[in-house]
Amino acid sequence: MSTLPGMQTSRFLLFRRLIIFFLAGLLIYYHIYTLCGLYLGTGTSAHTTFEYVQSVLRVMITLSLLLVVFGKSWALYGMWVGITGLVATHYWAHFGKLPVDFTLGRHPLSYLKGFIFPSIITMAFHTSSQNGDSNADA
């Protein structure tokens, strides 16, 4: 028989897992949508080195987020490496004066917004694994 504190803990654990699932799902959808638009869209077939580097990072982010959703704590490292690399490529485009549209009129600090969702996912993952989530490190 469950006690009231035990039920509250399991609800809070479920809430954190839902946060991870929702935010990771949004990021996975966004990166897959971006990759499909790049390679299946009506653009040119010649891609730049910048686009290839970003594509590899987006695939890395997507795969690591899928593993995070399935409870693999070590996949958080891959997520962070991919996100940091993607933010670095945004700075490469911004300060390297690459011919991309997303840099127009943007402040250089605006690219740091890319760390918000991964930070929330990491905090939710670590707090859920500390409170007895047996799948967190499996």
Side-chain angles (χ1 to χ4, degrees):
M1 189 160 128
S2 297
T3 62
L4 185 58
M7 288 179 13
Q8 288 174 339
T9 301
S10 65
R11 285 185 189 157
F12 192 54
L13 181 63
L14 177 64
F15 177 69
R16 288 182 298 216
R17 297 301 287 170
L18 286 173
I19 287 173
I20 293 168
F21 184 75
F22 179 73
L23 293 179
L26 283 175
L27 289 174
I28 290 167
Y29 173 78
Y30 171 73
H31 290 297
I32 290 175
Y33 179 80
T34 303
L35 287 169
C36 288
L38 179 63
Y39 292 106
L40 302 176
T42 58
T44 63
S45 61
H47 298 292
T48 64
T49 303
F50 175 78
E51 291 171 326
Y52 286 128
V53 169
Q54 280 206 325
S55 296
V56 168
L57 292 169
R58 290 181 191 282
V59 168
M60 181 179 180
I61 292 166
T62 300
L63 293 175
S64 63
L65 282 169
L66 282 171
L67 291 170
V68 167
V69 167
F70 288 114
K72 306 296 182 190
S73 63
W74 52 267
L76 288 169
Y77 294 111
M79 176 192 72
W80 277 104
V81 168
I83 294 288
T84 302
L86 197 61
V87 169
T89 62
H90 284 95
Y91 280 109
W92 171 26
H94 189 88
F95 293 115
K97 307 285 189 230
L98 297 180
V100 291
D101 293 336
F102 69 84
T103 61
L104 299 175
R106 289 190 70 179
H107 191 275
L109 292 177
S110 69
Y111 305 115
L112 297 177
K113 290 186 294 185
F115 291 123
I116 294 172
F117 280 8
S119 298
I120 295 170
I121 290 169
T122 302
M123 286 187 292
F125 192 92
H126 284 303
T127 56
S128 66
S129 64
Q130 288 175 355
N131 289 335
D133 185 10
S134 59
N135 292 333
D137 290 322

